[in-house]
Amino acid sequence: MSDIQSLVSQQLEALLENENNTVSNLSNAAALIFQNYENINWAGFYIYNTETQVLDLGPFQGKVACMHIQPGTGVVGAAFAHKKSMMVPNVHEFTGHIACDADSNAELVIPIYKNERVYGVIDIDSPELDRFTEIDKNEVEELAQVLAQHI
Ligand code: SME
């Protein structure tokens, strides 16, 4: 990918070069995100299950989390259903927020597009209110584009 700008995207691209095992790649991507962003308590994936039509928990770092999320429910389900990135400064003010980890106060959810559909989402939680910035959003959108080449 020629237009990669952030260091973390370059790291992900290097990590996944010539790798095509989806579980392995999502696992290392979750670890990379968890290590690279300060003050976060959860980073991972929800993957759309085309048979059951729900989002299933994918590889992640952090505390045990909800196994299934309905499209349209919570921040994850909203980002999936509306096909758009969601940056929520205070999850307690988000109607329908799903509290998997009581430590989470802010959340960033980015759709991963693959073959013109939403494959799943990247979900990052922080204990800090208003933790995420436009720069973070742009960076994680870039990570989603890199990942889409390796899943
Ligand atoms: N809080 C999310 C659920 C997933 S956990 O944060 C890992 C939501 O409202 O969709």
Side-chain angles (χ1 to χ4, degrees), residues 42 46 65-66 69 73-77 96-100 107 123 125:
W42 202 93
Y46 280 91
C66 316
I69 295 179
T73 305
V75 187
V76 163
H97 164 248
I98 303 163
C100 291
E107 187 159 357
D123 182 19
D125 288 8

Side-chain angles (χ1 to χ4, degrees), residues 29 79 96 111 117 135 149:
R117 69 174 187 90
I135 293 171
Q149 312 301 314

